[in-house]
Amino acid sequence: MVLMINNVFLWHFFLFCLYGINKNIFLCKSNKIKKAEMNTVDNISYADSLLNILPDGIVILTFDERVLQVNLQARTGLHINISSDSYEKNLYVGELFELIYQDKNILASALEVMRQGKEELILPSNTSIREKSTNTIFPVKGRFCRLPFDEGVEVVIFYFRNITSELTQEYILNTALNRTRIYPWFFDLDRQVFSLDARYFEYLGIEPDPGYTLSMDRYLKLIHPDDQKELFDAFSVQFSGDTMYDKPVPFRILRGDGKWEWFEGQSTYIGKLSGLPYRLVGICMSIQEHKDIEHTLIEARIKAEESDRLKTAFLANMSHEIRTPLNAIVGFSDVLSSTFEELSHQEREEFVNLINTNSEQLLRLINDILDLSKIESNTMEFVFAPCSLRTLMHEILAEQNMNIYSEKMQVTAMLPEDDLCIMTDVSRLKQVLVNLLNNSRKFTKEGYINLGYTLLEQEKQVELFVEDTGEGIAGEHLEHIFERFYKVNSFKQGTGLGLSICLTIVEHLLGTISVNSEMGRGTRFTVRLPLGLDESINICLGV
C-alpha cells in the first residue's frame, strides 16, 4: 500500500526543490514579470515531470482559487485533461471538483481557512471528492499546505489520495478477521509493548493498557506456564534477527473469565537496524474450536476402541451366557422326561424350578439383545398413559416373590399411604424397576431389597428407588456402571446391557437415573420422573 506523503519536513524539502520552477511559472501567469529566465512551457513541462513522480494527486492553486498546476495522478483521478495552454487561462479549482463532507461542499471554506493564515489543513475523515467531469464521488485522504514565494507571493498546494481500494480491502480484511477470530499485532521494541487489535481485548474480556497495548511482562503472565518457554524461545529467535521463525506457536492464554483458551501465533519482523529487528509484526488466532474438536475426536476414538473391545467381550461372553441356561433347561428336561417315575416329588419340584429359573434368565438375555437392537435402530416405542405407582409396585412385588429367595434376604415395598398417579409408559417403567431388582438380587445374599417411591412436591417429581444391602459397587466402577457391555463382575451372569438399557428408557421418560453405593453396605438406585399430570388427579386415593 502506497502511503500519502505526510511528513512536513519532506514536503518542505520537496517544495523548496520546486520553488524556482513554480516561481517562474506563477510570475509568468500573473504577468508580474514579462520575461522569465526559463521558457514558461519548459518550466511547466519540467515541473509536471517532477510532480508526476509523487504517488498522490497534486493541485497547486492561488488564493483566489485559480489552478496553476495539476499532476498526472490528479488528472487521472479527476478525469480531466489540462494542457499547457490551460494554465494561461483562468481555470478555477471549483470547476474541477468539490470536497464533500457531511453532504456539504467544504472546498471554499477550506481555502478560506488557508487564506486566514493556516499553514496546513488536514481533511476530516469520511471526506469525498466529487469530480465535475463525470460527477463521480470517491473517498479521499488529503490536506492543504501553503507554498511561500519571494516578494510575499504564496500559493496553496492540495494533495490527496483516492482510498476506495484501501477501504474495500480494509472492509474485506475486517470481515475475514471477524469471522476467523484472527487478531493482528506488533511488538514495539523501543517501548517494549504489544499493540493489539481492540477486538482481541473484547473477545478475551481483559482490560487493555492505554492505546490497546500490553506490556511484555503482563502478556507473559497471561500465558499458561506450560507454554511460556516455547513462546519465549520463538520471540528470542525473532529478536535475534539472524533467522526467521516461521513455525506457528500454539499457546494458552488466560481469559477474563478465568478460563484458558488456545491460540496460535505467527510473526515476522520488518526492517532492521544494526542487525536487529525494529518491529515485530504478526497475527494470533483462536484455535479453541479446533482443540475442542480434536479433544472430542480423541474421546470418540477412545470410546469407540473401548466399545469395540467391550462388544468383542460381549460376543465372547454371550455364547456362554446363552449356552448355560439352555444346557440347564435341556438337561433337566431330559432328566424329567426319562426318569420321571423314579424321581421323588421334591426332586421333580426342584428340577422344574431350575428349568423356570434358567428360562427366565434366557428370556432376560434375549430381551436385552432385542432392546439393544431397538435402541440402536431408534425404533423403541413409548406410549404414555396414567400410571398408579402403588398398583405397579404391588404387581412387581408379587412377580418377584414367585421366585425363590434365600431365607436370609427379603424383598419388600416401602410405599407412602397415598397412591400417586403419573403420566408415563407403564411397561417401560416396569422394565426399568424389574431390571434394577434383578441387578440387586445378583449382589445381595442376605438382608433386604426395598422397592418404593417418594413424592417431591417442590420439584413436581416422583423419586422411585431400589435399595439393597448387597456387596456394593467400588468407586472406580460407578462412573461406568451405565455404559453398554460394562460388567462390575465378569463372573456374574448377565450381558452388561441391563443398566445401559435402563438409562436409555429413563431418558425417554424425561427422567434421570443415579446410583449411590458403598462397598459392603449396599447400593441404592434412584429414578426421578416428572409427574406429568394435573395436580388435581396426581393423588389417586382409593385406587
Side-chain angles (χ1 to χ4, degrees):
M1 183 183 296
V2 178
L3 299 177
M4 177 177 290
I5 298 176
N6 56 11
N7 187 289
V8 175
F9 173 79
L10 291 178
W11 264 112
H12 285 173
F13 178 77
F14 168 72
L15 296 178
F16 175 79
C17 293
L18 287 180
Y19 166 75
I21 301 171
N22 284 319
K23 173 184 175 183
N24 287 332
I25 296 172
F26 178 77
L27 294 180
C28 289
K29 291 175 189 175
S30 60
N31 295 321
K32 289 187 176 181
I33 297 179
K34 299 298 182 181
K35 293 182 179 180
E37 295 178 0
M38 297 178 61
N39 180 273
T40 302
V41 176
D42 292 338
N43 281 335
I44 294 174
S45 176
Y46 187 72
D48 279 344
S49 298
L50 190 55
L51 289 173
N52 292 340
I53 297 174
L54 299 177
D56 302 327
I58 305 293
V59 179
I60 300 177
L61 59 148
T62 64
F63 279 98
D64 60 1
E65 302 184 14
R66 286 187 299 113
V67 176
L68 300 179
Q69 202 161 355
V70 183
N71 74 341
L72 177 61
Q73 286 74 14
R75 292 198 295 270
T76 302
L78 298 174
H79 297 96
I80 58 176
N81 183 18
I82 301 178
S83 63
S84 300
D85 296 338
S86 300
Y87 292 126
E88 301 296 332
K89 302 175 182 178
N90 291 327
L91 180 64
Y92 290 89
V93 68
E95 301 175 37
L96 302 181
F97 63 87
E98 295 178 351
L99 277 180
I100 306 301
Y101 177 69
Q102 296 182 347
D103 297 327
K104 295 180 181 180
N105 183 8
I106 63 169
L107 178 58
S109 58
L111 290 173
E112 179 60 31
V113 170
M114 299 302 295
R115 279 193 289 267
Q116 293 177 2
K118 186 79 171 178
E119 292 293 332
E120 184 180 50
L121 177 63
I122 301 174
L123 294 182
S125 300
N126 302 319
T127 299
S128 299
I129 282 182
R130 178 189 286 125
E131 47 93 353
K132 294 296 187 69
S133 178
T134 61
N135 207 35
T136 301
I137 298 179
F138 55 86
V140 294
K141 285 186 177 180
R143 67 180 68 196
F144 291 89
C145 290
R146 301 170 72 91
L147 181 61
F149 280 84
D150 287 344
E151 303 178 8
V153 177
E154 290 184 317
V155 293
V156 175
I157 181 169
F158 171 62
Y159 57 101
F160 65 91
R161 183 178 75 253
N162 186 336
I163 59 172
T164 302
S165 296
E166 295 176 26
L167 294 178
T168 302
Q169 293 174 6
E170 182 179 351
Y171 173 78
I172 294 174
L173 178 60
N174 287 336
T175 301
L177 293 178
N178 285 329
R179 288 181 178 273
T180 56
R181 294 178 182 172
I182 297 176
Y183 306 98
W185 59 268
F186 70 84
F187 182 72
D188 192 319
L189 281 174
D190 293 333
R191 297 189 297 152
Q192 290 289 299
V193 296
F194 288 93
S195 292
L196 297 116
D197 192 326
R199 298 177 302 109
Y200 180 79
F201 298 96
E202 181 180 355
Y203 175 71
L204 289 177
I206 59 177
E207 288 295 324
D209 293 337
Y212 295 104
T213 62
L214 282 176
S215 66
M216 174 64 87
D217 290 340
R218 185 185 173 196
Y219 183 72
L220 289 179
K221 288 179 181 178
L222 294 174
I223 304 301
H224 194 282
D226 295 342
D227 305 326
Q228 289 182 4
K229 183 180 184 304
E230 185 176 3
L231 196 64
F232 182 79
D233 290 344
F235 280 136
S236 298
V237 172
Q238 290 285 47
F239 291 151
S240 69
D242 296 330
T243 58
M244 298 288 291
Y245 195 96
D246 54 2
K247 183 177 71 173
V249 181
F251 60 92
R252 283 159 289 182
I253 193 166
L254 186 62
R255 294 177 52 88
D257 57 10
K259 298 179 180 179
W260 294 102
E261 177 155 353
W262 277 100
F263 272 77
E264 187 175 81
Q266 194 166 6
S267 64
T268 186
Y269 59 83
I270 55 174
K272 298 178 72 173
L273 185 63
S274 300
L276 296 175
Y278 67 85
R279 175 164 289 189
L280 197 64
V281 299
I283 58 170
C284 57
M285 176 177 67
S286 172
I287 57 172
Q288 186 62 49
E289 291 183 0
H290 302 288
K291 286 290 184 179
D292 291 341
I293 293 173
E294 179 183 330
H295 180 70
T296 301
L297 291 175
I298 291 174
E299 285 191 336
R301 178 178 58 81
I302 294 174
K303 189 174 182 180
E305 291 173 350
E306 179 67 10
S307 178
D308 185 63
R309 185 189 66 79
L310 291 174
K311 281 185 178 181
T312 301
F314 164 73
L315 293 173
N317 184 51
M318 186 57 62
S319 60
H320 170 74
E321 291 290 343
I322 293 177
R323 188 182 296 114
T324 299
L326 274 176
N327 287 338
I329 294 169
V330 172
F332 287 115
S333 297
D334 287 342
V335 171
L336 282 173
S337 62
S338 61
T339 61
F340 185 80
E341 298 296 335
E342 303 174 8
L343 297 174
S344 66
H345 177 75
Q346 183 178 358
E347 288 175 326
R348 293 172 190 168
E349 188 175 82
E350 182 179 348
F351 288 167
V352 169
N353 286 332
L354 287 172
I355 291 173
N356 287 335
T357 300
N358 283 277
S359 295
E360 290 177 1
Q361 175 64 20
L362 182 61
L363 181 61
R364 282 196 295 270
L365 290 173
I366 294 173
N367 284 335
D368 283 349
I369 295 171
L370 292 175
D371 285 337
L372 176 63
S373 176
K374 290 179 181 179
I375 292 171
E376 292 284 357
S377 60
N378 198 28
T379 58
M380 181 176 280
E381 296 181 353
F382 292 84
V383 179
F384 285 76
C387 170
S388 166
L389 290 181
R390 179 181 288 274
T391 301
L392 177 63
M393 297 289 181
H394 282 303
E395 181 182 324
I396 294 173
L397 192 62
E399 293 176 358
Q400 290 288 316
N401 286 330
M402 291 176 63
N403 298 304
I404 298 176
Y405 289 92
S406 168
E407 294 180 357
K408 297 181 180 181
M409 192 267 293
Q410 296 179 343
V411 179
T412 58
M414 300 180 62
L415 307 177
E417 295 181 0
D418 294 332
D419 192 6
L420 183 64
C421 287
I422 65 172
M423 183 67 74
T424 189
D425 186 311
V426 181
S427 63
R428 293 299 180 189
L429 178 57
K430 180 180 179 180
Q431 180 181 352
V432 170
L433 295 175
V434 170
N435 271 344
L436 295 178
L437 283 168
N438 290 335
N439 191 74
S440 291
R441 285 174 54 188
K442 293 180 189 178
F443 299 95
T444 304
K445 301 301 182 183
E446 60 182 13
Y448 62 83
I449 299 175
N450 287 334
L451 171 69
Y453 66 86
T454 304
L455 174 64
L456 305 176
E457 294 187 34
Q458 293 185 347
E459 293 87 347
K460 295 184 179 181
Q461 291 180 326
V462 61
E463 182 177 279
L464 301 94
F465 60 87
V466 174
E467 59 183 10
D468 61 57
T469 55
E471 299 175 10
I473 304 171
E476 63 267 20
H477 296 299
L478 287 177
E479 59 179 319
H480 303 290
I481 199 72
F482 294 107
E483 294 177 4
R484 291 181 185 178
F485 314 119
Y486 191 85
K487 296 180 67 174
V488 174
N489 188 338
S490 59
F491 296 102
K492 295 286 185 179
Q493 285 186 327
T495 61
L497 291 173
L499 293 178
S500 173
I501 292 171
C502 287
L503 173 63
T504 301
I505 292 175
V506 170
E507 288 177 344
H508 278 81
L509 297 179
L510 307 179
T512 59
I513 184 171
S514 59
V515 59
N516 289 297
S517 186
E518 185 178 347
M519 291 297 295
R521 301 291 297 274
T523 302
R524 177 185 174 100
F525 285 92
T526 303
V527 175
R528 286 194 175 192
L529 296 174
L531 297 178
L533 285 175
D534 187 83
E535 292 181 2
S536 61
I537 58 173
N538 274 337
I539 307 300
C540 304
L541 296 174
V543 176

